Amino acid sequence: MKKANITIKDIAKELGVSPSTVSRALKDHPDISQETKKQINDLAQKLNYQPNTVALSLRQSKTNTLGVIIPEIAHFFFSAVISGIEDIAHDAGYHVIITQSNESFEREVMNTKALFNSRVDGILMSVSRETENYDHLQSLLDYEIPLVFFDRIIDSLNACKVIVNDEQGAYEATTHLIEQGCYRIAHLAGPQNLAISKNRLNGYKAALADNRYMIDENLVKVCGLGTFEEAESITNEILDYRFPPDAIFANNDVAAYGAMIAIRKKKLRIPEDIAIVGFSNWRFSSLIQPALSSVTQPGFKMGQEATRLLMKQINKEKDEESITETISLKTNLVVRESSKKI
Amino acid sequence: MKKANITIKDIAKELGVSPSTVSRALKDHPDISQETKKQINDLAQKLNYQPNTVALSLRQSKTNTLGVIIPEIAHFFFSAVISGIEDIAHDAGYHVIITQSNESFEREVMNTKALFNSRVDGILMSVSRETENYDHLQSLLDYEIPLVFFDRIIDSLNACKVIVNDEQGAYEATTHLIEQGCYRIAHLAGPQNLAISKNRLNGYKAALADNRYMIDENLVKVCGLGTFEEAESITNEILDYRFPPDAIFANNDVAAYGAMIAIRKKKLRIPEDIAIVGFSNWRFSSLIQPALSSVTQPGFKMGQEATRLLMKQINKEKDEESITETISLKTNLVVRESSKKI
DNA sequence: TTGAAAGCGCTAACAA
DNA sequence: TTGTTAGCGCTTTCAA
């Protein structure tokens, strides 16, 4: 036999009081006498009364729910972000609805609309690769739905943003190699139409410059395809130089992996002959590749920070100027013991 | 200036009709004349009317929302499951609320209650490691909330379950090694108090038996700690046997990794000297460890199947007997080209 | 073909 | 200290 959901009315009827009295008693309103309070709370407990949050949401025009739109859930970086979001949201008493666009613009728009219709109190999002029209996002802003972008942000929109400081990460990685005593550091760069790739290249160059290293354009190779085979063959090419590099800074983990393969095939040692540092989001990269140090993006932290920004917006008084803030997070340089040259 | 949310009333007033007419027109009710329908729909479009799903949920006692409780979001297996859940839920017009227990019993109970209060139409869950008391879950069943367990199930509860057929996976993995011509296959087993470890051991033994291989208990080693260092040292020990194995079936990816390290240190070749197959959920394991074949758990599919079961329950008539079904999914054997001996 | 009214469960202004 | 009433936005029965 199915247990019935108990409502405030049920309690009120049972005790011969009005629903409002019950409502007030349950939230410890000072106007209610201790005696009735006790009576009501006892009965509520006994009947296992559970407040209906849907009714509350309608009444208060507040759902205590956040919406998340990401390109892909089953990606370590994004799932780390979700985890960070859930972490902060949970502490603030909020629920989290997850939707994924699967990199499809159409689906992103659908999700945006669906979350709007669900009257979520705020939205966190990372746009799909296809997204070039921002009407659906501008629309959220028009209705003043608190909105925070993370990672894949839209620069031109007037909203809060949380990103990773790629340039600083690349700078640190390169500096680390320099500190290890490397003197010819190559860079396997990413496609230069992506901001992240450009920023990483810039960080690499800045570190070299700050250490009075010459920048040798022959050591900077763009891996346009993004496959590890490509990185492997490019690394091969570099290794055959008359003055080959003694270190490689890779734009991402796939490139780092390709470089590693090429180096191993040449029977060179990592890191004694050639050190590698790469950007990476692989969960177990430190476990799998003890030879490689890596620069990791703080996904969990990004989720946390983005949610904190969102909560700030949600809790703002309506008439205050909406503040748009951009947070730039530091990357983490994970140095493996075994990758130190010294 | 903030755009206001348009309600049915607004449209009704503007057109001088009643809210009920608007409601009917918007859902293409046959009673409404084509003319008024057009008028209403046009205005709705113009004002960008978006139905308030919260009100709908209250009215219909149906939220079109599913709740998910998992131990950890940022784990590849679980995020793959979530992705599968979202996939099916989205197609069915449902939202997905994610909560994580962080392996804490207390938090799992909180989440269960919170989802109940949110009146989700069904719950998908994988219990935390700490969970030994099932009152909160039984309570869901008492209220006849559709409930499906996946992966970490509770056997004694009368609900739908989706699990992975570990025994069959282990059987396949071992058979694969046999087919590759291996004749002494060791097994790095997991702690035998866990059902999955036991099942995998059973599958291993069954495959040996079916191929008329002798079962040598010296080749079965339990890795109780679950660290790769442990697996490395145990593998070392095995390799020093007078008749060492020519293949290893590892209970999980950490053990497989430890074995790999040990083998490499002994300058043995994988797979020519020793082949390895292990259970694994690492996303890029096939990319990182081209030498190793693996048995992977179908997380995405598990999410899909679990959600399908849940939808079936949700759409059942109340008076039908609630059916409890258990689905056992096949694992995938991912064979790397380079891991074939032949 | 349309409108009036009630109600989903809850809260809060106002009245007693 | 407690009750009455109205209403959040929507649907649906019943009446016109």
Side-chain angles (χ1 to χ4, degrees), chain A residues 168-186:
Chain A
Q168 165 261 332
Y171 185 95
E172 271 192 19
T174 310
T175 304
H176 167 70
L177 289 168
I178 292 173
E179 284 169 355
Q180 297 298 311
C182 303
Y183 57 94
R184 256 180 94 63
I185 303 168

Side-chain angles (χ1 to χ4, degrees), chain B residues 232-251:
Chain B
E232 182 182 341
S233 99
I234 289 180
T235 305
N236 250 325
E237 193 187 314
I238 295 179
L239 293 178
D240 288 339
Y241 283 175
R242 196 143 71 95
F243 300 112
D246 62 348
I248 291 176
F249 164 52
N251 179 68

Side-chain angles (χ1 to χ4, degrees), chain A residues 211-222:
Chain A
N211 286 277
R212 303 176 181 281
Y213 275 45
M214 223 186 60
I215 291 168
D216 182 347
E217 291 294 345
N218 290 317
L219 291 179
V220 177
K221 294 286 181 186
V222 172

Side-chain angles (χ1 to χ4, degrees), chain B residues 7-9 20 23-24 49 52 59:
Chain B
T7 71
I8 272 186
K9 269 193 195 165
S20 34
S23 170
R24 284 186 271 242
Y49 167 75
N52 183 328
R59 179 70 230 254

Side-chain angles (χ1 to χ4, degrees), chain B residues 19-208:
Chain B
S20 34
T21 305
V22 177
S23 170
R24 284 186 271 242
L26 288 172
K27 49 179 38 183
D28 206 20
H29 194 287
D31 277 359
I32 306 294
S33 74
Q34 286 306 324
E35 196 189 357
T36 30
K37 258 186 203 166
K38 181 159 166 32
Q39 252 189 342
I40 289 172
N41 279 300
D42 285 355
L43 185 59
Q45 179 101 40
K46 184 178 148 223
L47 298 178
N48 188 30
Y49 167 75
Q50 298 295 130
N52 183 328
T53 27
V54 178
L56 242 180
S57 296
L58 182 60
R59 179 70 230 254
Q60 328 257 48
S61 306
K62 181 152 190 338
T63 52
N64 278 276
T65 301
L66 308 180
V68 177
I69 306 176
I70 48 173
E72 198 189 347
I73 294 171
H75 183 291
F76 180 67
F77 173 68
F78 285 120
S79 68
V81 175
I82 297 174
S83 187
I85 292 172
E86 203 274 345
D87 184 57
I88 299 296
H90 178 267
D91 288 352
Y94 278 72
H95 274 310
V96 179
I97 293 182
I98 303 288
T99 66
Q100 62 185 336
S101 62
N102 285 325
E103 302 285 9
S104 142
F105 172 70
E106 192 194 354
R107 191 144 166 186
E108 181 179 297
V109 174
M110 283 181 63
N111 287 337
T112 315
K113 199 165 283 181
L115 289 178
F116 178 86
N117 292 355
S118 292
R119 300 297 188 268
V120 293
D121 295 333
I123 293 180
L124 295 145
M125 80 181 296
S126 208
V127 300
S128 91
R129 228 169 245 150
E130 281 180 21
T131 304
E132 288 175 342
N133 176 309
Y134 311 142
D135 290 351
H136 57 304
L137 306 175
Q138 184 55 54
S139 176
L140 291 177
L141 295 175
D142 291 345
Y143 285 94
E144 289 181 15
I145 311 284
L147 180 60
V148 174
F149 291 101
F150 60 87
D151 197 52
R152 307 236 205 115
I153 65 171
I154 304 291
D155 255 327
S156 58
L157 286 177
N158 193 32
C160 285
K161 293 151 197 161
V162 182
I163 48 176
V164 156
N165 192 335
D166 287 288
E167 180 163 342
Q168 166 261 333
Y171 185 94
E172 272 191 17
T174 310
T175 304
H176 166 70
L177 289 169
I178 291 174
E179 282 168 357
Q180 297 298 312
C182 303
Y183 59 94
R184 255 180 95 64
I185 302 168
H187 177 37
L188 298 180
Q192 293 299 300
N193 58 329
L194 292 185
I196 50 168
S197 308
K198 245 191 323 209
N199 293 339
R200 290 172 190 180
L201 174 58
N202 288 340
Y204 158 81
K205 287 188 170 171
L208 293 186

Side-chain angles (χ1 to χ4, degrees), chain A residues 10-167:
Chain A
D10 297 327
I11 299 182
K13 203 176 294 170
E14 179 109 10
L15 257 41
V17 296
S18 81
S20 37
T21 306
V22 177
S23 170
R24 283 187 272 242
L26 289 172
K27 49 179 38 183
D28 207 19
H29 193 288
D31 277 0
I32 305 294
S33 75
Q34 287 306 324
E35 196 189 356
T36 29
K37 259 186 204 167
K38 180 158 167 33
Q39 251 189 343
I40 289 172
N41 279 301
D42 284 354
L43 184 59
Q45 180 101 40
K46 183 177 148 224
L47 299 178
N48 188 29
Y49 166 75
Q50 298 294 131
N52 184 329
T53 29
V54 179
L56 241 180
S57 296
L58 181 61
R59 179 70 229 258
Q60 327 258 49
S61 306
K62 180 151 190 339
T63 52
N64 279 274
T65 301
L66 308 180
V68 177
I69 306 175
I70 48 174
E72 198 190 348
I73 294 171
H75 182 291
F76 180 66
F77 173 67
F78 285 120
S79 68
V81 175
I82 297 175
S83 187
I85 292 172
E86 203 273 345
D87 184 58
I88 299 296
H90 178 267
D91 289 351
Y94 279 72
H95 274 309
V96 179
I97 293 182
I98 303 288
T99 66
Q100 61 184 336
S101 62
N102 285 325
E103 302 285 7
S104 143
F105 172 70
E106 192 194 356
R107 192 144 166 186
E108 180 178 297
V109 174
M110 282 181 63
N111 288 337
T112 315
K113 199 165 284 180
L115 290 178
F116 178 86
N117 292 355
S118 292
R119 301 297 189 266
V120 293
D121 296 333
I123 292 181
L124 295 145
M125 81 180 297
S126 208
V127 299
S128 92
R129 229 170 245 149
E130 281 181 20
T131 304
E132 287 175 343
N133 176 309
Y134 310 142
D135 290 352
H136 57 304
L137 306 175
Q138 184 55 53
S139 175
L140 292 176
L141 296 175
D142 291 345
Y143 285 94
E144 289 181 14
I145 310 285
L147 180 60
V148 175
F149 291 101
F150 60 87
D151 196 52
R152 307 236 205 116
I153 65 171
I154 304 291
D155 255 328
S156 59
L157 287 177
N158 193 32
C160 285
K161 293 150 197 162
V162 183
I163 48 176
V164 156
N165 192 335
D166 287 288
E167 179 163 343

